[in-house]
Amino acid sequence: MASQGGVPSPRPIKTSQIKSRILNVATPNNYLVRLTPPGAVLNFMERKRSLTPQQREDIELRCIRTTTPGSSFLTHSVANDYQGVVEEIPYRRAYENSLEMTFIVDNNYDTVAFFEAWMDYMSGMGEDYYQPRTAYRDLGGANYRMNYYGGDSGYRTNIYLTKFEKDVSNLENIKESRNNQKALQYTIIDSYPKQLNSMELNYGPAEDFLRLTVTFGYSRYVRERVSINDQ
C-alpha cells in the first residue's frame, strides 16, 4: 500500500522487500532488570540477613517474567459541538500503578528473604528500636508502625528495565553491533514491593521450580530509546 495525498492506494511490493522491511521483529525473552533498594533498606537487610551485591545481582537475573509499564489518557466527553458527534478529549495522562515480576526461588531462599526484608522495613517489622521480631509470634498480637516512604529513610526507589535483542551477543562484531543496536530503557520511578504473592507447593513431580511473583507499586515511568553501547 502507498499513500497519494493522504489516501492509500495499492502497489506491488516484492517479497524480498517485505522480509527486509517488516520481518526484523523483536523477541520478548531478552531483557535485564535492575533493582536498586534505597540505602536505608539495604542497611536493614544487612542487619537482618547479609546479602552480598553478587547475591542481589543473582536475584535480578532470576526474573523470568515481567511486563513493560503502560499508560493511558483520562478523557472527558464533549457532546453537541457538532451534530450527532460525541468527542472524547484527553485531559491528563494516567500511569498504571503496578508492575508484576516473577522470580525463580533459589535453594537458599535468598530471593524470598530479599523481598520479605524490604517489606519488613516498610512496615517497621523487626526494627530493634520499636519492637523485637520475636514479639510478632505472640498470640496477643503485634503493632506495626509504617516507615515514611520518602527522604533518607524512605523505601521507594527507581527500578530499571532494559529491553534489548540477542544480536548484541555476536562476539565477532560486538563493537559494531552495540553501536548500531537500539534498546528500550524504562526507568520506573518511586517503586516499592506492593504485594508478595503466595507460592504454590505440592507433592507432584519435582520437574519444575519454585516461583515468587512480586507486584511493585510505582508513580510513573520514563522510557528512553538508547544504544547498547551507552549501557
Side-chain angles (χ1 to χ4, degrees):
M1 301 293 288
S3 296
Q4 296 179 354
V7 180
S9 59
R11 69 176 178 85
I13 299 179
K14 294 182 178 179
T15 303
S16 59
Q17 293 177 319
I18 294 177
K19 289 182 178 180
S20 62
R21 291 173 61 179
I22 67 173
L23 294 184
N24 49 340
V25 296
T27 56
N29 55 350
N30 298 283
Y31 61 91
L32 177 67
V33 170
R34 181 68 67 198
L35 304 172
T36 58
V41 175
L42 287 177
N43 291 336
F44 178 82
M45 290 179 179
E46 291 174 359
R47 294 201 309 269
K48 301 305 175 185
R49 179 181 176 85
S50 178
L51 289 176
T52 66
Q54 181 177 339
Q55 287 174 308
R56 294 197 298 269
E57 184 179 22
D58 291 345
I59 293 172
E60 296 168 347
L61 295 175
R62 293 189 189 107
C63 180
I64 60 172
R65 187 185 66 83
T66 187
T67 60
T68 60
S71 63
S72 61
F73 283 109
L74 302 179
T75 64
H76 64 84
S77 298
V78 177
N80 299 323
D81 281 0
Y82 303 95
Q83 183 176 0
V85 176
V86 177
E87 297 178 283
E88 294 287 335
I89 308 299
Y91 66 91
R92 180 177 297 173
R93 186 173 182 176
Y95 295 90
E96 295 179 355
N97 60 1
S98 63
L99 178 70
E100 280 194 356
M101 294 185 181
T102 300
F103 298 84
I104 297 173
V105 177
D106 58 289
N107 58 8
N108 202 38
Y109 307 110
D110 289 336
T111 305
V112 178
F114 176 81
F115 291 109
E116 285 281 5
W118 196 338
M119 297 187 75
D120 285 350
Y121 177 81
M122 293 171 57
S123 62
M125 181 177 178
E127 289 283 8
D128 296 332
Y129 62 82
Y130 177 52
Q131 192 170 15
R133 191 177 186 85
T134 54
Y136 293 89
R137 303 187 188 129
D138 297 340
L139 295 177
N143 297 318
Y144 294 85
R145 183 174 64 184
M146 298 293 296
N147 277 308
Y148 187 63
Y149 62 84
D152 295 336
S153 60
Y155 54 79
R156 299 194 306 185
T157 186
N158 292 344
I159 291 176
Y160 301 93
L161 173 62
T162 303
K163 175 66 188 77
F164 58 92
E165 294 307 310
K166 62 183 178 182
D167 291 344
V168 299
S169 63
N170 183 0
L171 298 180
E172 297 179 357
N173 303 299
I174 188 69
K175 185 175 181 180
E176 180 181 356
S177 178
R178 285 186 171 181
N179 287 333
N180 297 328
Q181 188 74 24
K182 298 297 183 182
L184 293 179
Q185 180 171 289
Y186 293 86
T187 303
I188 306 168
I189 299 173
D190 291 339
S191 303
Y192 61 93
K194 183 178 180 181
Q195 177 179 336
L196 261 65
N197 290 356
S198 57
M199 298 179 291
E200 182 179 354
L201 308 176
N202 61 69
Y203 280 111
E207 298 175 353
D208 204 353
F209 42 80
L210 195 61
R211 294 177 172 88
L212 174 66
T213 299
V214 183
T215 303
F216 292 90
Y218 68 95
S219 61
R220 66 187 191 282
Y221 70 89
V222 177
R223 183 200 56 80
E224 299 171 277
R225 193 164 179 256
V226 299
S227 296
I228 292 295
N229 195 43
D230 296 336
Q231 301 303 303

